[in-house]
Amino acid sequence: MDRLLISGGVSLEGEIRIAGAKNSALPVLAAGLLTREPLTVCNLPHLVDITTMLQLLGCMGVQRTVDEKMNVQVDASTIGNLNAPYELVRTMRASILVLGPLLSRYGEAEVALPGGCAIGSRPVNQHTAALRAMGASISVENGYIRARADGRLKGARLFMDLVTVTGTENIMMAATLAEGQTIIENAAREPEVVDLANCLKRMGADISGHGSDTIVINGVDELRGCRYDIMPDRIETGTYLIAAAATRGHIKVKDTEPPALESVLNKLEQAGAALRVGKDSIELDMRGRRPKAVSLRTAPYPAFPTDMQAQFTALNAVAAGTGSITETVFENRFMHVHEMNRMGANIRVEGNTVIVEGVDQLNGAPVMATDLRASASLIIAGLVSRNETTVDRIYHIDRGYECIEEKLQSLGARISRMPVR
Ligand code: UD1
C-alpha cells in the first residue's frame, strides 16, 4: 500500500491535460456486452477502476485487446459465463453495470450484490425494480442477484423513484435490445449518461431524450460494434481547478469539456477566481489572492455534483469567511472533515451540512483517505498546509485519478509517492 507525501505551500502554476471520464468509460465498456462485434474504446483513463472492469469482462470470457495508443477493444463474441463474482464487485460497485447488458442480450445474469460503502448504504433496488418491470425475474440468493428473462425483455414505462446515474445507465442499456419502447422518467441527466447514449446510438440503438429527465428507447434486434471516444473527466477537471484556487495559483486545464462544469465554475468564480473558458480548455487565475468561502448544495446534474463537495470543503477550510456545504445525494460523505480538523481546520458537521470557518493556514499531519473524492480533498488540504502531510490508503485515489502525483508535480507541487511496507 502506498502513501502520498506532500510538502505544502506552493501555488499551482502550469498546464495539464485532462483524462477520459471514469464514470463514462465504465458503462461504455459494459456496453461492449451488448454486441457480438468488437467495440473499440478510445481516450480511456489509466485507472484501477478501468482495470477492474476489464478484469470483470475478462473473467466472463470477453476478449480485450490494447493497441499502441492504449485504445481498448472488447469483443464479447467469446463470452463464456454470465457471472460477476463478489471478489470484483466488492472492489468496484460500478460492476453492477454489467447486469442490464447481460440480462438483455443473454437472458440471464448473476451479479454479486454490492454492499454498502464508506459514503453510504447505496442500494441497487432501483436497478432491479426497473428490470422486473421489463419482465425479468430477479431473486437475491447467497449474496448474488440472479436475474432471468423469458425471451427478450419487454419495453416498459418506468418511473425512477430517485435519480440514479448507474441505474439509468443499466436500464438504458437493457432497453436497447428489449422488445418495444421503454420510457425512463426521472432519468439521470449527467453528461456521462449522455456519453453512454451517444455510444449506444453509434452501435445502432434508437435512443432519444438523453440529457433530459425522460429518455425514450425503442428496442432493436441487435447492436453492432463501433469506435468510441470517451468524454473528458469533469470531476478530474474540477479537482485540479479547485486545487489551483485553494493554493492561489494559475493553471490551464486542456482537453476538457467546459459546458459539463457550469455549476462548479460558477462556485469557483464566487470564490474569487478569474476564469477564461475556451472550447476545450479552462484557465483559472487567483492572482495570488486568498479564496473567498462559498456555500453549496449537492444534487443530481445539472446541480452541483456530490463528487466535488469534499474538494470545496478543503478550499473553504483556508478561505476568507464561512461557507456551508450541504450533501443531499449520499448519507455519509463527510469522512474527510475529521481528518481536515486534525490539520487545524475549523469545520463542524450539522446533520447533512458542514459549516466551514476558514482559517489562515492548515498544518500538515498524517491523514487517512476513506473514499475516492475524500482522498482528493485531503491532497488539496495537504497542498495548502504548512509542513508535511502524508495521505494513507491512497488506493482510493488510484481508482479515479490518473497519475495524480505526476500531474500535480508538473504544476509545481511537492508531492511524491512512498511505498509502505
Ligand atoms: C454514480 C457515480 C458516482 C457519483 C454518483 C452520484 C459512477 C460509476 N459513479 O454512482 O461517482 O457520486 O453517481 O452522482 O457513475 N440509490 C438507491 N437505490 C438505487 C440506486 C441508487 O437508493 O437503486 C441511491 C444511492 O444510495 C444514492 C443516490 O441514490 O443515495 C444516488 O446514487 P446513484 O446516482 O445511483 O450513484 P451511483 O450511480 O452508484
Side-chain angles (χ1 to χ4, degrees):
M1 249 196 291
D2 296 348
R3 65 168 59 125
L4 287 174
L5 182 66
I6 306 165
S7 296
V10 178
S11 294
L12 298 186
E13 305 271 342
E15 290 189 0
I16 49 162
R17 187 193 160 265
I18 295 304
K22 168 179 88 75
N23 287 353
S24 166
L26 294 172
V28 165
L29 286 170
L33 293 166
L34 288 164
T35 171
R36 66 164 70 90
E37 292 183 11
L39 171 70
T40 303
V41 189
C42 311
N43 199 30
L44 270 182
H46 304 293
L47 298 172
V48 173
D49 271 10
I50 300 300
T51 313
T52 306
M53 180 55 90
L54 290 171
Q55 224 180 323
L56 177 59
L57 296 176
C59 80
M60 293 172 186
V62 174
Q63 271 188 27
R64 302 136 301 155
T65 324
V66 185
D67 73 12
E68 70 288 351
K69 291 194 174 139
M70 300 302 287
N71 300 323
V72 172
Q73 189 181 77
V74 289
D75 177 350
S77 63
T78 51
I79 196 157
N81 80 76
L82 309 170
N83 176 295
Y86 179 63
E87 297 74 58
L88 289 172
V89 177
R90 83 188 162 95
T91 63
M92 188 184 68
R93 300 177 45 82
S95 308
I96 190 72
L97 285 164
V98 301
L99 178 63
L102 285 179
L103 183 60
S104 187
R105 181 147 138 66
Y106 304 95
E108 59 177 281
E110 271 188 10
V111 178
L113 190 63
C117 70
I119 63 175
S121 61
R122 299 182 81 174
V124 291
N125 56 316
Q126 298 291 316
H127 304 230
T128 48
L131 290 170
R132 275 199 187 102
M134 295 173 78
S137 63
I138 297 184
S139 58
V140 176
E141 289 162 38
N142 307 112
Y144 276 78
I145 301 170
R146 298 192 203 280
R148 231 163 266 283
D150 192 10
R152 281 171 79 178
L153 288 174
K154 310 277 179 295
R157 191 180 190 98
L158 306 166
F159 186 87
M160 309 301 275
D161 285 345
L162 46 80
V163 179
T164 155
V165 177
T166 49
T168 301
E169 292 166 344
N170 231 340
I171 303 315
M172 188 166 68
M173 287 192 279
T176 56
L177 293 178
E179 204 179 298
Q181 186 174 71
T182 299
I183 302 176
I184 310 176
E185 307 230 43
N186 200 25
R189 299 162 61 184
E190 266 65 5
E192 294 78 10
V193 174
V194 175
D195 208 31
L196 171 66
N198 288 335
C199 174
L200 293 168
K201 285 177 75 165
R202 196 171 293 176
M203 294 167 73
D206 178 352
I207 303 177
S208 57
H210 40 301
S212 80
D213 59 8
T214 305
I215 303 179
V216 180
I217 306 116
N218 292 306
V220 295
D221 289 343
E222 57 179 15
L223 295 179
R224 52 181 183 267
C226 74
R227 196 177 170 86
Y228 195 74
D229 262 303
I230 297 296
M231 67 176 286
D233 197 310
R234 64 192 168 105
I235 308 299
E236 188 195 25
T237 306
T239 300
Y240 285 105
L241 292 175
I242 297 169
T247 60
R248 310 181 187 192
H250 178 189
I251 70 164
K252 184 173 183 180
V253 290
K254 297 190 299 189
D255 296 340
T256 189
E257 202 174 290
L261 278 129
E262 218 173 303
S263 61
V264 173
L265 297 184
N266 191 17
K267 289 297 162 191
L268 284 165
E269 272 178 334
Q270 284 177 24
L275 296 176
R276 190 181 299 171
V277 178
K279 189 171 148 289
D280 60 359
S281 67
I282 304 168
E283 187 176 339
L284 175 146
D285 191 356
M286 286 303 281
R287 305 202 173 104
R289 287 195 296 257
R290 182 181 187 188
K292 290 179 273 198
V294 294
S295 292
L296 57 89
R297 186 171 198 276
T298 68
Y301 191 86
F304 189 90
T306 170
D307 285 351
M308 298 254 61
Q309 56 92 344
Q311 298 88 320
F312 263 103
T313 307
L315 177 136
N316 275 350
V318 290
T322 302
S324 71
I325 292 184
T326 302
E327 170 60 55
T328 74
V329 179
F330 292 110
E331 69 258 37
N332 183 27
R333 213 170 190 183
F334 291 141
M335 307 279 273
H336 47 281
V337 164
H338 312 291
E339 298 299 283
M340 285 181 199
N341 280 343
R342 294 180 52 248
M343 300 170 79
N346 184 356
I347 312 176
R348 58 179 198 280
V349 180
E350 289 182 3
N352 66 343
T353 298
V354 291
I355 317 287
V356 192
E357 285 180 38
V359 297
D360 288 339
Q361 192 152 30
L362 298 179
N363 296 306
V367 291
M368 192 121 81
T370 48
D371 68 74
L372 172 53
R373 306 305 169 184
S375 337
S377 73
L378 293 176
I379 292 175
I380 297 173
L383 293 172
V384 293
S385 290
R386 237 188 312 254
N387 308 323
E388 278 193 349
T389 297
T390 50
V391 185
D392 251 310
R393 300 203 178 163
I394 56 161
Y395 50 85
H396 290 295
I397 203 127
D398 294 331
R399 290 188 41 213
Y401 289 91
E402 175 182 282
C403 307
I404 192 162
E405 68 272 28
E406 281 93 344
K407 285 189 179 180
L408 285 171
Q409 280 161 4
S410 76
L411 297 174
R414 290 175 298 202
I415 179 167
S416 55
R417 183 178 290 250
M418 292 191 321
V420 179
R421 280 167 229 295

